[in-house]
Amino acid sequence: RSKDLGRNSYQLFKATMNARSLERLTMSSRIKQALVNDEFELFLQPIVDCQTTQLCGAEALLRWQDPQLGMVAPGQFIPLAEELGLIIDIDKWVITRSCALLAQWQQHTHFSGTLSINLSAAHLCHHDLVDTVTAAINEHGVSAEQLEIEITESSFISSFSQAREVLLALKLLGVKVALDDFGTGYSALSYLTKLPIDKLKVDSSFIAKVPDEYGNSEIVSAIIAMASSLNLLVVAEGVEKPCQHQFLQGLACDYVQGFLLGEPCSITDFNNRYVYPCATSTS
Ligand code: C2E
Ligand code: MG
Ligand code: MG
Ligand code: MG
């Protein structure tokens, strides 16, 4: 009996594995095709001054418009793309597209804020990254200071010195560096003084629980105080309620981002809502 059970569960395991590898294979070719067929799109979310709510920048968030699946959120395909080794190509697309957008803003609008892009941890140790960014900036003639890369702590855990070299090279170009999801990683804080970081993005899991939940407000306030004494700027992510915004204003947080200030939207919607064309512009 137990033998039968064992065999059945093995059959089930085999069937599941086959389904999984088939799914992976399908997804792999789908992601490759998405790049060729231009099915990816950048959505933009405003990042505003915490005190004045004046627009200071935008975060580019990847969306995949699949003909069959519809709109696919990054959480559903980025981990798989990382596993399949396709993330570098996706990130390159994001870098090029973002520089093209910055050039468009520069030529046709008064908007001179920062455009932040998310780079996969795998990419930071990739020798191509600096070349890719340099080429995209030069090709579109944009100022590097307007481009910001968001990385997570996992980017430099596996190879600290290599990641540091890449970041230093990007800094030399003028590109800004923000640390995303700050407070959720497991690395030592000492890296904050060893890496060329400009900004901390306090993870939304902390913001979700302020100002009510005991402990979280203290953590957020301590992060902001630490950042300020290290000369780092702070963005609070996932601000959804006015009471959260008010709490952050009281702590002299630099920037806020979240549904309260604006949800991610298409580039067209973002331009219509927040970016004003030059008076001389004909487009
Ligand atoms: P992230 O960089 O931490 O981005 C913030 C996420 O929080 C976004 O989810 C955004 O839509 C969402 N968000 C913004 N405001 C609020 C709010 O007030 N409340 C709540 N609950 N959520 C809010 P999204 O767009 O699904 O992206 C998820 C993650 O996927 C990103 O987290 C980032 O790690 C990754 N990602 C997005 N775009 C790219 C990309 O182009 N390349 C790479 N490598 N990763 C990306
Ligand atoms: Mg981000
Ligand atoms: Mg984040
Ligand atoms: Mg995140």
Side-chain angles (χ1 to χ4, degrees), residues 199-213:
K199 218 179 256 181
L200 299 183
K201 297 193 76 171
V202 182
D203 193 69
S204 53
S205 58
F206 296 108
I207 307 304
K209 294 169 191 160
V210 298
D212 304 325
E213 194 169 302

Side-chain angles (χ1 to χ4, degrees), residues 12 26 28 51 54-55 141 143 155 178-179 184 186 188 243 277 283:
L12 181 67
T26 314
S28 171
Q51 303 302 329
Q54 194 193 328
L55 183 71
S143 64
S155 310
L179 197 64
T184 61
Y186 292 97
C243 62
S283 63

Side-chain angles (χ1 to χ4, degrees), residues 5-19:
L5 259 179
R7 181 177 298 158
N8 283 342
S9 64
Y10 174 68
Q11 291 297 344
L12 181 67
F13 172 74
K14 225 174 88 179
T16 315
M17 278 315 284
N18 283 339

Side-chain angles (χ1 to χ4, degrees), residues 42 45 59-63 73-75 78 87 91 94 118-120 150 180-181 237-240 257-260 264:
L42 290 181
Q45 185 176 31
E59 177 173 4
L61 295 159
L62 195 60
R63 297 292 180 263
I78 282 177
I87 195 68
D91 277 356
V94 172
N118 295 279
L119 289 187
S120 157
E150 295 191 1
D180 208 350
D181 304 342
E237 288 194 280
V239 177
E240 293 181 353
Q257 177 182 1
F259 296 162
L260 178 70

